[in-house]
Amino acid sequence: MGLPQRLILTLLSIYLYSATVVNTQQEFKIQSVELIIEPRNDVTAGTNVTLRCHATVSTSTGKGLIREYTILKNDKIVYTKTIGSSEDFVYQLHNARVFSTGLYQCKLDIQGDTKLSKAQRLNVQGLSQPVLHLNTNVVNEGEEVQATCIAPGEIGSFIFFFFDNDEQISRVEGLSNQAKTTFRLSGADIHKIHCSYKIRTAEDTFPSTKSNNVTVSVKELSITPELKIFPDSTIYEGDHLNISCSAKNVHSSSEGYKLFLSQGTKLLRTGNSTINHNMVAVPKASEALTFDCRVVVRNVEKYSEKKISVVELFSVPSLTMSPTEVFQGQIMTLTCNSDGFASQRINREDLEYTLYPSKNLPSSGKPGVFNVKALQNDFNYTCSAEAKGIKKDSKTLMIRPKVHVSALKISIEDKVILKKSFTILCQSNGSLPINYTLFKDNVQVGTKVIREQNRQAVFMDVINEPGERQYRCEAKNSLHSNKTGSSQHLSVNVIVPLSQMTLAVIPSSLKISEGKELNFICSVNGTGPVTFKWYRTGSVVPLQTNTTTETYSNLEIKPVSKNDSDEYYCEASNGANKVRSENVNVQVFMAPWKKGLIVVACLLLLLLLVLLLVASMLNIKSKRDRREAAAELSVKPSSPKSDDPLTVNLTHDTDVYNAATVKVDRAEVSVWSKRKPETESDDEISEVSNEPNVEYTEVVHARSTDPARGFGRIR
Ligand SMILES: *[C@@H]1O[C@H](CO)[C@@H](O)[C@H](O)[C@H]1NC(C)=O
Ligand SMILES: *[C@@H]1O[C@H](CO)[C@@H](O)[C@H](O)[C@H]1NC(C)=O
Ligand SMILES: *[C@@H]1O[C@H](CO)[C@@H](O)[C@H](O)[C@H]1NC(C)=O
Ligand SMILES: *[C@@H]1O[C@H](CO)[C@@H](O)[C@H](O)[C@H]1NC(C)=O
Ligand SMILES: *[C@@H]1O[C@H](CO)[C@@H](O)[C@H](O)[C@H]1NC(C)=O
Ligand SMILES: *[C@@H]1O[C@H](CO)[C@@H](O)[C@H](O)[C@H]1NC(C)=O
Ligand SMILES: *[C@@H]1O[C@H](CO)[C@@H](O)[C@H](O)[C@H]1NC(C)=O
Ligand SMILES: *[C@@H]1O[C@H](CO)[C@@H](O)[C@H](O)[C@H]1NC(C)=O
Ligand SMILES: *[C@@H]1O[C@H](CO)[C@@H](O)[C@H](O)[C@H]1NC(C)=O
Ligand SMILES: *[C@@H]1O[C@H](CO)[C@@H](O)[C@H](O)[C@H]1NC(C)=O
Ligand SMILES: *[C@@H]1O[C@H](CO)[C@@H](O)[C@H](O)[C@H]1NC(C)=O
């Protein structure tokens, strides 16, 4: 850009600026803006509609202002114009259409100052009738027809619809007021074609009336399919079928066609000309065979259908066994048999049966009958019947050879207690189900059927009388043979619960002196083996435990000591129950010789005191007479004190112990019952223990030194 041009631009802008400044200096006010629809708001299609925009503007100078008018339809600008005069602004809608329907507004803009009128609704009613044109009025079946539908004078967004005898066949959308479509008419007939359309506005959809009817006549194609099946008489299984599918009345001028031959849903063949198909008739379970021959020209399809039923030559064989259950290694008879056959074609003798697998089967002489030895394991057999080259297989027959019952075992789970039920179990090897029968002393007491693997037959029984019982199980798993498995005899000794317990004590007086023998005899009523336990009350540890097959036992305490005095009881158990005796209180007394010893000691002490008293009196007397002699006398008794008293004591003890042992040894009840007289012997001992004065003095001396110890031990 050159300098002179720049200068000119600058000058121009300065001029324009000054001009606007001049303009803005004119004061104005838009007072109102109004939109008027002429001739009225509701009109019919084709009316010339005028939108008049009337504005009132007050100005200071009265000079004209530049005004910019805008017409809005549904808030969208449709027209804008700037005018210099103060006249009404007029917007023409020539030949109003339904599409013009909407909400209109007028906007005035003066130097950026704007005012919007109130909205006015324009309603245009009536769509023009559509016009339908077809390119032809006569067509051959399958030919295309071209159709054009026009909405005269209409504008907007269109949807066109085409109808064949009032059935919609096509739909076209667009902004043009005409639409083209092509279609084929099927079925030889007269077709009435018409069309219609709809106009879519922002708010609504408006449907038109129907167009004129255009009549089209459709000429049917003369071509027809032809299906032939040979033979046409009764068809037996295995017969050869010749099937042909062809097209008839083919116009020499017409275009190519295609043939389709199907059986049911299976397409057998296709071709441009006659199709020939050969097949062997195979019957379909109680159903006819359906053949379908179809010819397709252009888009036209014609078909011919035929159903034939095929007679079965012979039925599918069935394989059966007899007997119905078989044990390993047993011979069984397998029979293969076809129930029915077409006697018109074959004889029974024509049927050949085969068993699979077939390994050197001994001939049974009868067709279809096979003697087979059952194997050790499961085995599958099938058989087939064959005639005239047709072979049919039976269903698989699964043979599960059974195993005879073996290794039958009987056992008892709990202790068998009188009048209490207990469980007897039987189990064996062999094929299931197995029926178990329980016998008690050869009398049947129960049966059980076991169907699950590794299950024992569980029987409950109760014995009400003491004594021995014989139990036995039998197992059976064959229906046809009487072969059973039998268990060994199981001897059961019933345990009789313990009762009537007695605890006898010897001596029966329950009073016994130290060193003697104490005997407890516990006896019960019931069955052994019995476990006896003796207790001192308050102790959980038994003094003695004996298990014996007898129903009594004893506890011996020998020799008894003072601290064996206690309460005792006995407990017995035999697996069925436990019984306890009452408590017996046994008291052990000090040995009689000890009592005697104490009495003697006391007497000696008394004697000593008397002697001392006498001596002292004598002493006083002689004191007065001879003082020297008195001193010698007082020293003499103390000299032998250290040796003698102990020896005396020891001899005494052994003597009494022996005496006691002699008496207790091998005690019998009679001996014990004579226990009372012992006290007399005690007296004897006390008499025996009388001894010379000198030694007596010594003993008393020793006892008196430790009286508390001796007393405590006796207790
Ligand atoms: C509408 O106006 C056009 C010219 O603008 C005129 O030819 C036509 O006759 C008018 N239609 C009616 C119905 O007045
Ligand atoms: C067109 O044909 C249909 C059915 O035949 C009839 O109902 C309809 O009135 C016809 N329309 C016209 C415009 O003739
Ligand atoms: C069927 O066709 C075969 C050869 O395709 C022919 O040998 C036989 O004769 C025909 N049978 C019939 C009944 O047409
Ligand atoms: C059918 O005809 C067409 C030509 O019209 C040819 O191309 C095609 O191979 C033919 N098909 C058969 C199966 O003969
Ligand atoms: C027998 O046939 C069944 C199925 O039919 C199969 O499950 C089984 O394993 C076969 N048994 C033998 C021993 O072949
Ligand atoms: C039969 O039972 C015994 C146990 O009672 C078992 O040891 C043996 O294996 C079983 N035999 C068979 C063939 O199941
Ligand atoms: C086993 O017992 C049931 C019913 O008690 C009976 O139906 C079945 O035949 C028996 N089976 C045998 C092998 O004895
Ligand atoms: C099986 O025993 C029943 C009676 O218990 C008897 O009638 C039948 O003959 C026996 N069958 C065989 C095969 O021994
Ligand atoms: C158990 O006592 C009863 C009487 O009560 C007696 O008949 C039976 O012989 C006693 N049995 C034993 C084992 O002592
Ligand atoms: C009881 O058991 C003790 C040992 O625990 C034994 O010395 C005594 O001989 C037994 N008595 C009987 C009757 O078995
Ligand atoms: C007296 O019982 C105690 C324990 O209780 C024991 O140590 C002592 O030896 C018993 N005395 C005799 C003389 O058996």
Side-chain angles (χ1 to χ4, degrees):
M1 202 184 275
L3 188 69
Q5 278 116 313
R6 236 185 240 177
L7 200 70
I8 290 163
L9 265 179
T10 318
L11 286 174
L12 196 68
S13 60
I14 290 167
Y15 167 75
L16 281 172
Y17 177 70
S18 58
T20 43
V21 166
V22 167
N23 264 348
T24 50
Q25 275 167 353
Q26 179 166 351
E27 302 278 336
F28 70 90
K29 178 79 189 89
I30 304 172
Q31 289 184 334
S32 68
V33 180
E34 193 185 357
L35 180 69
I36 304 139
I37 298 178
E38 290 170 350
R40 61 197 159 267
N41 286 44
D42 293 302
V43 297
T44 53
T47 311
N48 289 341
V49 174
T50 304
L51 303 179
R52 178 181 296 279
C53 200
H54 176 73
T56 311
V57 182
S58 54
T59 62
S60 54
T61 61
K63 278 185 184 170
L65 293 161
I66 308 295
R67 301 164 189 229
E68 191 193 73
Y69 285 98
T70 305
I71 298 293
L72 298 134
K73 181 192 175 189
N74 298 332
D75 295 330
K76 283 190 183 125
I77 296 165
V78 288
Y79 189 75
T80 301
K81 186 158 189 191
T82 309
I83 54 171
S85 75
S86 59
E87 287 165 25
D88 286 352
F89 168 69
V90 170
Y91 177 67
Q92 293 283 348
L93 273 172
H94 285 291
N95 203 1
R97 288 290 157 196
V98 167
F99 188 68
S100 308
T101 297
L103 212 54
Y104 288 87
Q105 272 177 301
C106 175
K107 190 172 90 177
L108 175 58
D109 183 335
I110 304 172
Q111 293 167 18
D113 194 4
T114 66
K115 194 148 214 150
L116 199 61
S117 77
K118 276 190 181 170
Q120 290 290 330
R121 168 164 286 278
L122 172 62
N123 272 325
V124 185
Q125 280 185 335
L127 285 175
S128 61
Q129 193 195 10
V131 178
L132 177 67
H133 292 291
L134 295 189
N135 64 340
T136 175
N137 287 80
V138 180
V139 286
N140 286 318
E141 218 181 333
E143 261 176 10
E144 270 190 349
V145 178
Q146 212 176 73
T148 311
C149 192
I150 303 165
E154 295 298 338
I155 49 165
S157 173
F158 295 88
I159 314 166
F160 287 94
F161 302 94
F162 295 86
F163 299 87
D164 171 12
N165 293 339
D166 287 335
E167 220 175 273
Q168 190 183 315
I169 49 171
S170 184
R171 181 181 190 273
V172 183
E173 283 189 41
L175 293 170
S176 158
N177 71 336
Q178 55 174 281
K180 265 189 188 152
T181 190
T182 58
F183 48 84
R184 292 169 206 271
L185 297 172
S186 58
D189 210 349
I190 305 275
H191 293 257
K192 271 189 186 168
I193 313 293
H194 77 264
C195 72
S196 70
Y197 66 90
K198 279 181 182 170
I199 286 190
R200 274 196 301 225
T201 66
E203 299 167 315
D204 220 338
T205 307
F206 301 91
S208 77
T209 56
K210 290 177 182 176
S211 75
N212 55 312
N213 281 331
V214 178
T215 306
V216 181
S217 54
V218 178
K219 286 202 283 179
E220 192 185 1
L221 282 177
S222 56
I223 194 165
T224 50
E226 192 177 38
L227 177 65
K228 288 184 196 163
I229 300 174
F230 300 105
D232 50 8
S233 55
T234 313
I235 298 165
Y236 288 94
E237 182 180 10
D239 287 358
H240 285 273
L241 295 178
N242 289 7
I243 303 158
S244 80
C245 172
S246 58
K248 268 205 319 193
N249 305 325
V250 184
H251 291 294
S252 53
S253 60
S254 76
E255 64 264 65
Y257 58 88
K258 201 157 182 198
L259 289 166
F260 297 85
L261 176 65
S262 335
Q263 183 202 330
T265 54
K266 187 182 169 202
L267 185 62
L268 297 173
R269 257 161 217 260
T270 64
N272 288 4
S273 58
T274 304
I275 301 170
N276 279 308
H277 183 69
N278 293 320
M279 62 184 282
V280 172
V282 175
K284 228 172 128 190
S286 70
E287 255 182 70
L289 303 183
T290 309
F291 291 93
D292 176 301
C293 173
R294 240 158 238 262
V295 59
V296 179
V297 188
R298 296 191 289 266
N299 276 348
V300 182
E301 193 177 304
K302 296 194 175 188
Y303 72 92
S304 165
E305 196 184 77
K306 268 192 184 161
K307 284 178 197 268
I308 59 159
S309 47
V310 179
V311 178
E312 212 178 36
L313 204 59
F314 57 91
S315 58
V316 173
S318 59
L319 184 61
T320 52
M321 68 185 279
S322 110
T324 49
E325 59 160 32
V326 65
F327 284 83
Q328 289 176 350
Q330 202 178 316
I331 300 286
M332 60 186 166
T333 304
L334 299 181
T335 308
C336 189
N337 184 44
S338 202
D339 286 342
F341 58 94
S343 54
Q344 293 89 341
R345 292 292 174 97
I346 55 165
N347 298 315
R348 187 169 280 284
E349 295 76 52
D350 296 337
L351 285 166
E352 254 180 56
Y353 296 102
T354 318
L355 183 72
Y356 299 97
S358 52
K359 275 190 286 179
N360 347 309
L361 287 171
S363 165
S364 69
K366 276 186 178 174
V369 179
F370 307 93
N371 291 326
V372 179
K373 189 173 182 180
L375 299 172
Q376 298 295 307
N377 49 336
D378 291 3
F379 212 81
N380 286 343
Y381 284 99
T382 54
C383 78
S384 72
E386 194 172 358
K388 294 216 160 178
I390 296 167
K391 191 170 163 185
K392 294 185 184 182
D393 288 334
S394 72
K395 279 190 196 157
T396 301
L397 175 70
M398 188 158 91
I399 294 172
R400 314 197 99 154
K402 287 183 148 195
V403 180
H404 282 295
V405 286
S406 64
L408 181 54
K409 276 191 196 161
I410 185 167
S411 59
I412 284 184
E413 210 166 49
D414 333 294
K415 288 176 191 137
V416 181
I417 296 164
L418 193 71
K419 288 176 186 165
K420 278 202 180 153
S421 72
F422 60 99
T423 308
I424 303 163
L425 303 170
C426 295
Q427 191 172 25
S428 75
N429 294 345
S431 302
L432 298 165
I434 300 175
N435 286 14
Y436 289 93
T437 312
L438 179 72
F439 295 88
K440 173 159 79 175
D441 294 336
N442 285 323
V443 177
Q444 185 176 325
V445 288
T447 59
K448 286 272 147 68
V449 184
I450 296 300
R451 299 176 197 284
E452 293 96 353
Q453 205 67 47
N454 300 323
R455 274 285 183 88
Q456 294 175 309
V458 179
F459 295 96
M460 301 294 285
D461 198 24
V462 59
I463 297 176
N464 290 317
E465 295 295 328
E468 201 184 80
R469 296 289 182 282
Q470 297 281 336
Y471 281 95
R472 184 169 60 84
C473 263
E474 271 187 11
K476 186 167 183 270
N477 66 350
S478 166
L479 280 175
H480 302 287
S481 87
N482 283 352
K483 195 167 174 181
T484 56
S486 185
S487 73
Q488 287 181 325
H489 287 268
L490 180 73
S491 289
V492 173
N493 245 326
V494 64
I495 302 174
V496 179
L498 301 177
S499 63
Q500 296 173 16
M501 170 174 254
T502 54
L503 175 61
V505 186
I506 298 170
S508 54
S509 66
L510 304 180
K511 291 189 169 97
I512 184 168
S513 43
E514 272 181 294
K516 296 285 161 66
E517 181 181 311
L518 181 59
N519 222 326
F520 294 96
I521 301 166
C522 197
S523 74
V524 286
N525 191 327
T527 50
V530 184
T531 300
F532 290 94
K533 287 179 180 176
W534 287 267
Y535 294 92
R536 285 173 82 137
T537 52
S539 166
V540 291
V541 185
L543 294 167
Q544 182 180 299
T545 303
N546 290 81
T547 301
T548 167
T549 51
E550 304 295 336
T551 55
Y552 62 88
S553 186
N554 74 307
L555 164 70
E556 204 177 67
I557 303 176
K558 183 176 87 177
V560 287
S561 67
K562 184 69 181 149
N563 64 356
D564 288 327
S565 290
D566 205 345
E567 284 196 326
Y568 292 82
Y569 66 92
C570 155
E571 207 177 70
S573 57
N574 72 342
N577 66 341
K578 187 155 103 178
V579 288
R580 196 195 131 139
S581 74
E582 293 193 338
N583 292 351
V584 291
N585 197 344
V586 175
Q587 285 180 324
V588 182
F589 290 99
M590 198 192 301
W593 63 265
K594 281 189 186 170
K595 286 187 201 165
L597 202 66
I598 289 166
V599 170
V600 169
C602 289
L603 287 174
L604 285 178
L605 191 68
L606 202 67
L607 202 68
L608 186 69
L609 283 172
V610 171
L611 283 177
L612 281 175
L613 198 69
V614 172
S616 62
M617 282 165 73
L618 287 175
N619 202 14
I620 294 162
K621 220 183 191 180
S622 58
K623 224 178 191 178
R624 282 177 214 156
D625 303 335
R626 284 170 289 176
R627 286 195 180 219
E628 302 89 45
E632 277 167 42
L633 194 77
S634 63
V635 174
K636 200 183 175 183
S638 59
S639 58
K641 195 168 40 176
S642 52
D643 313 304
D644 288 344
L646 270 172
T647 14
V648 172
N649 243 346
L650 236 126
T651 42
H652 265 290
D653 272 352
T654 29
D655 281 347
V656 177
Y657 177 80
N658 286 336
T661 28
V662 168
K663 282 200 177 127
V664 173
D665 199 18
R666 207 47 271 147
E668 282 180 340
V669 181
S670 55
V671 172
W672 286 93
S673 60
K674 283 184 207 158
R675 229 180 92 58
K676 272 286 171 220
E678 267 183 68
T679 36
E680 287 156 37
S681 69
D682 285 353
D683 294 342
E684 285 172 317
I685 293 166
S686 59
E687 277 163 35
V688 167
S689 63
N690 273 332
E691 295 195 12
N693 275 353
V694 189
E695 283 180 63
Y696 168 68
T697 326
E698 257 60 39
V699 171
V700 169
H701 214 90
R703 289 273 167 204
S704 60
T705 50
D706 194 8
R709 197 207 294 164
F711 189 68
R713 201 198 298 162
I714 288 160
R715 276 243 167 135

